[in-house]
Amino acid sequence: MASRYQPGELRRRVATGLAGASVVVGLIAWNVWGLGLVLAVVSLVVLLEFYQMAGVRLNQPAVWLFFVQGVYLWAGGVYQAGLVPVGGGSGLFSFTGFTLVLVGSVVGALLYSGFVARRGIEFYQIGALAFGIPYTVAPFVLLFLAASRYHMPHGQSHWVLALGVIMQIWAADIAAYFGGKTFGRRPLLPSVSPNKTWEGAFCGALGALVLATCWVVMGPSVPFSWYAIAALVAVLSPVGDLVESQLKRSAGLKDSGRLLPGHGGFLDRFDGFLLTLPAVYLYLRLWL
């Protein structure tokens, strides 16, 4: 049976969630630059927490090489979204430019890690360095591109899609948390996360479905299905949570960080996004 609520933990969790949600929603509704700022900051902090979780010291030059690669990925995302004309240098952000920079960064980091700093970094940490960008930064760039490209009615293109997807994932996460605490009986995958239950996962799916219905009834019309996105959230958000739980278990950690009281780190809070957002982007590309 799932453990009951701890009042102090619950208060911290709710207070942090409300404060964070207010900042995120406010910036997203402000303009598309606010959306980009929120997603970029979250993704880059998640990247650094992922490296710390893998036991890589953040003062390693290889870490900052990949951090710069993440910043470059965001610069390219801003350009691809059509927000900043680059003129004659636009080839830098073409597919070829992206490929060359990504490959060059990976090769450079691996060479540094494997040869220059081989006494200060383990073999598995080299894999973590190379895996960090596609796992943590790329999903948020994809959401930004989708939100800035797919225009909705009433001139609200950037925030309708982005906020809808984010709130569906949040609704699923909140419903899974409280549903699991209240009704949880059967463990979902006890070898990875003993506190996750099938009942919690069902409540999470129901939360995403309810939020999708709210957007359908009260939100502006959109050229895609909120229910299709809810289905992706219902399946992939808990899988993303389990993946991060396995990574933490492998690292011997309870939380990815301490930046969010009651929640742990940014990676703990946004783990459900990391598999869901690429699937949502692929759905939108195929549907629209």
Side-chain angles (χ1 to χ4, degrees), residues 71-213:
V71 172
Y72 169 81
L73 202 61
W74 270 108
V78 169
Y79 169 75
Q80 292 292 339
L83 300 180
V84 179
V86 184
S90 61
L92 178 65
F93 296 121
S94 65
F95 177 78
T96 302
F98 267 118
T99 302
L100 291 176
V101 171
L102 291 176
V103 171
S105 297
V106 171
V107 171
L110 294 182
L111 287 176
Y112 171 82
S113 303
F115 297 103
V116 179
R118 60 183 179 275
R119 295 183 180 179
I121 193 166
E122 300 293 335
F123 180 77
Y124 75 91
Q125 293 170 337
I126 299 174
L129 283 170
F131 183 60
I133 293 293
Y135 177 56
T136 64
V137 179
F140 292 95
V141 175
L142 291 177
L143 177 61
F144 179 73
L145 286 175
S148 59
R149 282 182 172 180
Y150 298 126
H151 297 283
M152 311 302 168
H154 314 301
Q156 299 168 330
S157 60
H158 76 276
W159 69 263
V160 172
L161 173 60
L163 199 57
V165 173
I166 290 172
M167 290 182 67
Q168 280 199 18
I169 297 174
W170 280 348
D173 190 49
I174 293 169
Y177 176 79
F178 286 104
K181 290 284 188 181
T182 305
F183 306 111
R185 296 292 187 277
R186 294 172 294 178
L188 182 61
L189 195 62
S191 61
V192 174
S193 184
N195 294 327
K196 300 291 189 302
T197 63
W198 283 103
E199 292 81 3
F202 175 79
C203 289
L206 188 61
L209 180 63
V210 169
L211 210 289
T213 302

